[in-house]
Amino acid sequence: MGRLVAHLHAFKPIAVVTHDAVGQLTGHPDRVRTHQVTLLAVEAAGHACLYPKVGPPWRVSDLYAATHSRSGVGLLGPLMERVGKSVLAVEEAYVTVRLDVTPWAAAKRRAVSAHRGEVARERPLPGILARLPEADRHRTICFEQFTRIGFGAAPATMDRLTA
């Protein structure tokens, strides 16, 4: 985690994007762990007493988790269920940002296709996407959803807790 904190200190991002807590649709354990480590590193980066050798603290203003709502799963839900995969989608209320990423659809398609071993197999998500008709695949990958996870300073109106 110290290396990630060092990167946050060096690059000083205003916003960070990671996977959501459920593993972003498929529950992949690497995505779940990425979410956990990113949250911890973003928190640690803002404290001078944690990882002091990597530089002065840096507070990220916004942390977003890439996610899929139940309505945002679209065509993937039934296809995943057909190959025996569970669909881990969040409630609509968790989605705070919806983006049309159509201008980047070709780059996104190339990135998914780069997972050649998974594209060739039936069950992994890249394989499911690869087998969709082009129009359906385009419609499926042209929108992204995110949950904003609060970071930065506490609101000025926060009451002081008393015993």
Side-chain angles (χ1 to χ4, degrees):
M1 187 169 60
R3 288 179 31 199
L4 183 52
V5 172
H7 284 296
L8 292 169
H9 286 216
F11 291 107
K12 298 180 177 18
I14 295 169
V16 171
V17 178
T18 187
H19 298 289
D20 66 9
V22 298
Q24 200 177 355
L25 194 62
T26 64
H28 194 288
D30 291 346
R31 290 180 176 180
V32 172
R33 187 66 179 145
T34 299
H35 171 82
Q36 295 165 344
V37 170
T38 302
L39 262 63
L40 292 170
V42 166
E43 178 69 22
H47 296 287
C49 60
L50 298 173
Y51 303 98
K53 293 180 182 179
V54 299
W58 176 254
R59 292 200 65 103
V60 171
S61 297
D62 294 299
L63 178 62
Y64 292 91
T67 194
H68 293 83
S69 68
R70 292 186 182 180
S71 68
V73 171
L75 299 169
L76 291 178
L79 292 171
M80 289 175 63
E81 289 169 351
R82 195 174 306 147
V83 295
K85 285 188 159 257
S86 297
V87 178
L88 302 175
V90 300
E91 299 296 328
E92 301 297 324
Y94 282 98
V95 176
T96 54
V97 177
R98 289 173 175 79
L99 294 177
D100 179 351
V101 295
T102 302
W104 300 276
K108 194 172 170 184
R109 222 174 8 257
R110 285 190 304 273
V112 170
S113 296
H115 297 276
R116 290 185 183 131
E118 292 189 7
V119 168
R121 294 182 5 237
E122 180 182 343
R123 291 192 75 233
L125 192 54
I128 292 170
L129 281 170
R131 286 187 304 281
L132 283 175
E134 179 57 33
D136 291 342
R137 183 173 45 245
H138 183 77
R139 191 169 61 244
T140 299
I141 67 170
C142 284
F143 292 92
E144 295 285 342
Q145 297 180 325
F146 301 89
T147 300
R148 183 182 184 282
I149 301 169
F151 258 87
T157 58
M158 183 178 262
D159 293 334
R160 188 176 150 199
L161 296 176
T162 58

